[in-house]
Amino acid sequence: MAKLVECVPNFSEGNNKEVIDALGQAISRTPGCVLLDVDAGASTNRTVYTFVGSPEAVVEGALSAARMAGQLIDMSQHKGEHPRMGALDVCPFVPVMNVSMEECITCAHIFGQRLAAELGVPVYLYGEAAREETRKALPTIRAGEYEALPEKLAKSEWAPDFGPSTFVPRWGATVTGARTFLIAYNINLLCTKELAHRIALNIREQGRGVDQPGRLKRVQGIGWYLEEENIAQVSTNLLDFETTPLHVVYEEVCQDAKSLNLPVVGSQLVGLVPKKAMLDTAEFYIKKEKLFILEEEQKIRLVVSRLGLDSLSPFHPQERIIEYLVQAGEVDGGLVAKPLGAFVRAVGGRSAAPGGGSVSAAAAALGAALGCMVGLMSYGKRQFEKLDPIMRKLIPPFHQGMDELVAMVDADSRAFSSYMEAMKLPQSTPEERERRTSAMQQGLKTAVRVPCALAEKVSGLWPALKELACHCNLACKSDIQLATLVGELTSTSPCLSFPTCVA
């Protein structure tokens, strides 16, 4: 599968539309780069671009935009609410799909070296790409901002990783590196900049200093005022949303705001967000409020509502959640994206894949879907009101199983194809035969792993299926019976594949 790296360059221009558009065009015109999002801020005078591509392509895209910035941005004239030190202030590389952190570190090193060589500007490395522990944190490198650079560059301990130790007034300095997914998240308040900053100091990990750390791990924060919206914001960066999720930041800010009698009026996501971050927040509110929501679309809508993500501008999930954008850009959506007739014809074609494994996964997904349907037909109706608590417990496993089993349709086909590709490897020399054997063994393990997971998933649904049969709407009797037959067939069908694989 294709390697995908996300690059998120932050340029110090948020007002001049011609400059903003020119930088975006420099990225989008780079072969292999897909520009996903452009988020400009007037008060911050900063624009965040998000684009994806192969490791090689994103380096070229970032360089193309940097060259354009060198012509159009003059840092000696720059003013803005956001901390900054250069025309291209920061340029991180983030692993998205089939890419390791090491590969993103390599991207940062190549980009930094080429940027310094081409434009003659100082470049620092941060995050996972940092060569020194003291330079891992971006705020540490950016301390003092652009105005402190002449003095800073004169100190040996602040010699850049690439480029000259001389001050370039028009450019400043750039920081590049590799990191996990960062979420830029701001909470809106009707108050002064100073009060917003007081809350930011309370929650950010750095706090007010070594002796007064903040409450939230892996969170950076600052308070500022958005003149164009006439509101203050607690602006945060979530460096690890699994350590400190979106809802924790929002709830903590709300708690402090309440103690100061300050109104919270929604929040704002800058750039893109991983789907998991949204769904984790949905699960928090579902549990907190004892809600019953199954569909992913509705869970996302719940998060938009609870966090007020559409308070400043409309929040369109298809344009803001990175997985949706990547999926929309894929030319081949796989077997599950095909119409039913096309899928059946693909199975009936003269090819070993898709075969029995994909058919078993599709059948199992339909069996789980029937279980889900029977549960929903027995839920939320007045005549079955007493069954609501039972159905709330039984429906989710079928709904989750349905989604997981659908994903196995393509997973099985890809796994078998990797084994078939290994068989085609050359075997003229002992080294080639050894590589072929090793690749075949790895392909075989992968090919067996998918049907095993299928059998395990279907078997795990049996307890819920049995209980559902005891309580469900009798009008769905034939449906539950068919779901049972499908479950019996698909839970044993993977065993039929093993003799073939072993042979």
Side-chain angles (χ1 to χ4, degrees), residues 136-148:
K136 280 207 163 187
L138 179 59
T140 303
I141 299 175
R142 203 161 51 191
E145 301 185 41
Y146 170 82
E147 287 74 15

Side-chain angles (χ1 to χ4, degrees), residues 77-114:
Q77 306 300 313
H78 186 271
K79 300 290 181 186
E81 288 282 347
H82 199 289
R84 80 285 181 265
M85 64 190 291
L88 169 50
D89 187 52
V90 61
C91 185
F93 295 88
V94 183
V96 174
M97 189 167 65
N98 304 315
V99 174
S100 68
M101 182 60 75
E102 284 298 320
E103 288 173 285
C104 287
I105 291 171
T106 300
C107 287
H109 286 188
I110 294 172
F111 171 75
Q113 191 171 31
R114 289 181 59 185

Side-chain angles (χ1 to χ4, degrees), residues 254-325:
C254 286
Q255 176 184 309
D256 281 19
K258 185 177 180 181
S259 68
L260 295 169
N261 295 316
L262 303 175
V264 175
V265 286
S267 62
Q268 173 193 35
L269 280 165
V270 179
L272 303 182
V273 62
K275 182 170 68 174
K276 187 177 187 303
M278 297 291 282
L279 294 180
D280 287 349
T281 296
E283 292 304 325
F284 168 78
Y285 287 108
I286 288 170
K287 185 175 181 180
K288 179 184 178 182
E289 302 173 25
K290 297 182 173 59
L291 305 175
F292 184 66
I293 302 175
L294 295 172
E295 297 297 331
E296 185 173 287
E297 179 186 354
Q298 293 178 354
K299 290 180 179 181
I300 299 297
R301 189 178 297 178
L302 175 70
V303 175
V304 173
S305 171
R306 293 298 181 268
L307 301 186
L309 294 177
D310 53 1
S311 56
L312 298 183
S313 60
F315 185 90
H316 301 297
Q318 297 301 326
E319 299 172 5
R320 304 300 300 280
I321 295 174
I322 190 166
E323 287 87 348
Y324 293 167
L325 281 165

